[in-house]
Amino acid sequence: MESEPEKFTQYVLERFGIPIPDWVKIEGKSNLRMMSSELQNFQTTTPKGIPAANMNGVFPKPSTSFLQLFGNLATKNVIELEKEDALKFATRENLQTLQNAETGYVILKYKGATLGCGFYKEGKIENFFPKQRMITLK
Amino acid sequence: MQKEEYLSWLSKYTDAEACASAQEDLSYFIRVNTLKTSVENYLDWTGLELEPTLLPYAFKVISPPEGGLGNTLDFATGCIHTQALSSMLPPHILGPSREDTLLDICAAPGSKTTQCAALMQNRGAILANDSNRGRISALSDNLERLGAINASTSNRNGAIFAHPHKFSKALADVPCSSLGSNPGAFEHWNLNFSKSISPLQFSILRSAFDSLQEGGTLVYSTCTYAEEENEKPVARLLSENPRARLEKIEGIPNTHPGISDYGSEFRNAARVYPHEFGSEGFFLAKIKKEG
């Protein structure tokens, strides 16, 4: 039976076309963490690396940190935003788009840089940008 | 301490008036986070007006945006971190690589830890320790925002820190009186404070040194001017450990050697003053553990 890290690795490959590099190790059950292979082998009692995904939902939910690190490898289900929408996204507003994607999680980018994760359905994008990183517009 | 008295004390190290005046008007700097973008791509991408520095990934911000640098897409995407140029010197001097295991013994809030992660290209392993439990969340937030996946945090007392692993590199950026980074710090400071915190700084330095493997290197740093917090703890480590050797800090312009009263080897250490370097005041010592 596939482990949760294996399911997530397969999911991001199928959904986004992201091949997770060999040296990046994914560990955990429902809340997955990612780490360097050297850190995985390092002796410590504290959590290693940073969050990679939440596996509790219908679809695995990749973390913003995961997408900001590996979003440049994505080949599909990527939505490129104009500046105005990019700023709105960073304020955690939901968005509308004319661009096409498959229903499910999408990667949102601005001028090639990954902003984070949204959930696309019928032209609407639900915002999953982390509250602690949001910006405020004057 | 009154400003006049402070300036009189500071004048034994440098041009006190120029130093204090420069410190009140320090520039903002950013570090491009090369874990998420390349410097070249970032410069094409950003709307910020930037000026190069001696570090290829560090830039002076010519006119910070009205809402602050923390309120930009640059920051929200983790493409940059705001960090004083002087504060980037300890990791730069230490120069960790992807083959290293690194101990950052006073890591929070993680500016230097994440800079080390970038220099290590997210490979190797970093143990990011801080004794202050309340600051661990800020450290974890920065590791996440900047995408450092080669670090694990720990919350132990740095003064009595021990770990079964022996590290190839260590950073000991110890708690200090902050006279070099906080322009108002002198108002709540007197020399007795520096004398009283010196034994703690030494204990943290000793723990970091004891955690090194043979041939390993550490950088000791503070953002203050008092020799009691700078040369004194380092001199004590050198006198108690025949295997500890001060290595020369090279390639950083507009800095001064350490105070030679503590030994001629302190020509290898570096003192950084704001009016000459253009960023916060710092002290840096690079120490090798010989085999």
Side-chain angles (χ1 to χ4, degrees):
Chain A
M1 193 176 152
E2 253 187 343
S3 68
E4 296 298 285
E6 284 167 345
K7 276 186 207 166
F8 177 66
T9 302
Q10 190 58 33
Y11 168 78
V12 292
L13 185 62
E14 285 172 8
R15 173 84 194 162
F16 303 113
I18 296 176
I20 297 177
D22 288 345
W23 60 272
V24 176
K25 302 300 174 190
I26 311 283
E27 280 187 359
K29 288 182 179 165
S30 55
N31 290 303
L32 305 185
R33 296 180 76 84
M34 57 183 165
M35 64 205 71
S36 67
S37 54
E38 297 86 358
L39 183 64
Q40 187 183 40
N41 297 323
F42 186 76
Q43 187 182 350
T44 174
T45 53
T46 48
K48 296 172 179 176
I50 60 177
N54 183 311
M55 302 295 284
N56 289 326
V58 176
F59 303 105
K61 156 71 180 62
S63 70
T64 297
S65 299
F66 176 87
L67 294 181
Q68 287 185 350
L69 268 184
F70 301 113
N72 60 325
L73 303 174
T75 55
K76 52 188 172 176
N77 290 310
V78 174
I79 294 178
E80 182 75 31
L81 301 176
E82 295 296 323
K83 186 169 187 182
E84 192 183 341
D85 274 347
L87 289 167
K88 279 184 187 170
F89 180 76
T91 64
R92 304 189 81 229
E93 263 190 56
N94 293 332
L95 304 173
Q96 296 212 327
T97 180
L98 296 174
Q99 295 179 56
N100 272 327
E102 302 164 52
T103 296
Y105 289 114
V106 289
I107 297 172
L108 298 160
K109 291 191 176 187
Y110 169 61
K111 282 169 65 179
T114 302
L115 299 168
C117 183
F119 190 89
Y120 174 88
K121 190 177 179 184
E122 295 167 356
K124 290 181 181 168
I125 301 169
E126 189 182 348
N127 196 322
F128 281 88
F129 195 69
K131 194 182 283 182
Q132 63 271 31
R133 293 189 215 173
M134 71 181 277
I135 66 173
T136 50
L137 298 178
K138 289 204 167 176
Chain B
M1 185 178 275
Q2 294 295 313
K3 188 161 189 180
E4 219 166 76
E5 193 185 351
Y6 171 67
L7 292 178
S8 166
W9 170 83
L10 186 58
S11 65
K12 71 175 172 171
Y13 299 127
T14 189
D15 179 342
E17 290 277 357
C19 181
S21 165
Q23 202 166 332
E24 284 172 14
D25 190 26
L26 288 177
S27 302
Y28 289 96
F29 291 90
I30 58 151
R31 172 169 60 80
V32 177
N33 178 22
T34 53
L35 296 177
K36 293 203 173 169
T37 184
S38 66
V39 170
E40 193 181 25
N41 284 348
Y42 174 72
L43 294 177
D44 279 347
W45 185 88
T46 185
L48 295 175
E49 196 183 342
L50 303 170
E51 190 178 291
T53 70
L54 76 158
L55 302 181
Y57 48 79
F59 295 86
K60 183 171 162 179
V61 182
I62 302 299
S63 46
E66 209 173 296
L69 287 163
N71 212 24
T72 57
L73 288 177
D74 311 47
F75 192 85
T77 52
C79 287
I80 62 163
H81 187 62
T82 52
Q83 187 176 352
L85 184 63
S86 308
S87 158
M88 299 183 210
L89 293 178
H92 170 72
I93 289 162
L94 187 63
S97 72
R98 45 197 289 157
E99 285 79 31
D100 280 316
T101 54
L102 185 147
L103 169 65
D104 188 352
I105 200 164
C106 303
S111 298
K112 296 176 190 72
T113 314
T114 50
Q115 186 184 348
C116 286
L119 293 169
M120 295 163 78
Q121 299 169 290
N122 245 342
R123 303 299 301 269
I126 299 175
L127 187 60
N129 180 72
D130 205 279
S131 62
N132 186 335
R133 183 175 289 275
R135 299 182 78 200
I136 294 289
S137 62
L139 171 60
S140 298
D141 285 350
N142 276 323
L143 293 175
E144 282 188 37
R145 186 179 62 83
L146 296 166
I149 67 170
N150 60 346
S152 177
T153 58
S154 81
N155 177 218
R156 298 191 220 171
N157 183 349
I160 51 170
F161 183 91
H163 195 276
H165 184 83
K166 292 297 177 197
F167 297 82
S168 55
K169 297 268 165 65
L171 267 184
D173 183 56
V174 299
C176 70
S177 53
S178 304
L179 297 172
S181 59
N182 179 353
F186 71 85
E187 292 170 14
H188 312 285
W189 172 83
N190 61 47
L191 195 52
N192 282 335
F193 176 84
S194 294
K195 287 176 179 169
S196 68
I197 199 173
S198 186
L200 171 68
Q201 293 163 327
F202 167 73
S203 299
I204 296 171
L205 171 60
R206 182 179 54 193
S207 294
F209 184 79
D210 289 345
S211 301
L212 279 179
Q213 57 188 236
E214 287 183 359
T217 306
L218 77 77
V219 169
Y220 174 87
S221 58
T222 71
C223 55
T224 199
Y225 306 119
E227 63 202 77
E228 289 77 4
E229 303 182 53
N230 294 332
E231 285 86 355
K232 191 176 176 185
V234 174
R236 186 172 163 193
L237 182 85
L238 297 177
S239 71
E240 292 183 8
N241 289 277
R243 289 193 296 165
R245 186 169 56 82
L246 264 184
E247 290 209 313
K248 179 119 186 103
I249 292 172
E250 290 175 306
I252 313 293
N254 304 318
T255 59
H256 290 264
I259 295 168
S260 58
D261 295 357
Y262 289 86
S264 60
E265 63 271 37
F266 276 87
R267 66 182 180 276
N268 292 337
R271 284 181 158 255
V272 179
Y273 296 108
H275 58 298
E276 294 168 332
F277 188 71
S279 182
E280 295 176 351
F282 250 75
F283 173 80
L284 305 148
K286 186 177 185 182
I287 302 164
K288 185 161 179 108
K289 187 178 199 173
E290 294 186 323

